[in-house]
Amino acid sequence: MDFLLGPVPALRFASAGMTRERFYFDAFARARIDCSKGAAVNNHSYWVYIVASGPCGWLYVGMTNDLIRRIGEHKHGQIDGYSRERGTDRLVWYEHHRYVDQAILREKRIKRWLRPWKFALIEETNPHWADLYGDLIASSGRPR
């Protein structure tokens, strides 16, 4: 059982041909070890988010453990590929998760949704498609 408490060596991830999802699932399984056995349960934050190019425009669904940093990267064009090409830099929806496996699952499910379903999800909490990044910064107390 000692292997459950230690960090996963980077070589195990690369050499075993393990997928990213499986790697994170295994890592989180180790973190969820019962407290009665002496191991602490980690308290992490993971975020599933949607950024858009504008109201009803291009959408990008993602997952991160640092929402402010990640949206800043979108805004400054530091994310290569789809997000930079389409100009998706407006945070229009986000959701908190405690466990990475739950966040990954939610992200994958939303990515498979039809556009009207994603629009409905966004418009439940943000009917005007306002950029929520400023509110997020203000509520966190972190400098821009």
Side-chain angles (χ1 to χ4, degrees):
M1 294 294 276
D2 291 336
F3 69 93
L4 290 175
L5 301 176
V8 175
L11 293 176
R12 179 177 157 211
F13 176 70
S15 64
M18 193 180 294
T19 64
R20 180 184 98 165
E21 291 80 12
R22 185 67 208 179
F23 174 76
Y24 285 120
F25 181 80
D26 289 350
F28 233 58
R30 285 190 310 281
R32 287 190 190 175
I33 295 172
D34 190 84
C35 290
S36 64
K37 295 180 182 173
V41 175
N42 294 333
N43 188 13
H44 295 285
S45 291
Y46 299 93
W47 304 91
V48 178
Y49 64 92
I50 300 176
V51 288
S53 60
C56 300
W58 294 103
L59 299 176
Y60 176 83
V61 179
M63 190 274 297
T64 184
N65 65 345
D66 186 348
L67 186 60
I68 294 172
R69 174 193 51 82
R70 184 68 170 171
I71 300 305
E73 291 172 352
H74 281 285
K75 289 194 168 293
H76 297 316
Q78 296 171 336
I79 309 294
D80 286 335
Y82 181 90
S83 183
R84 188 188 311 177
E85 291 169 8
R86 308 292 191 294
T88 55
D89 61 357
R90 179 186 295 197
L91 177 64
V92 293
W93 179 86
Y94 60 93
E95 180 178 79
H96 176 261
H97 293 271
R98 184 173 172 197
Y99 300 109
V100 71
D101 54 339
Q102 293 172 350
I104 290 170
L105 181 63
R106 179 73 163 155
E107 175 198 17
K108 287 178 180 264
R109 285 182 176 166
I110 293 173
K111 281 185 174 185
R112 283 181 277 169
W113 286 7
L114 299 173
R115 281 178 62 83
W117 298 356
K118 294 174 190 174
F119 290 170
L121 178 67
I122 293 164
E123 291 171 356
E124 280 179 18
T125 57
N126 189 1
H128 302 292
W129 292 66
D131 190 353
L132 304 174
Y133 182 68
D135 297 337
L136 188 64
I137 292 287
S139 67
S140 74
R142 283 171 56 176
R144 288 182 186 218

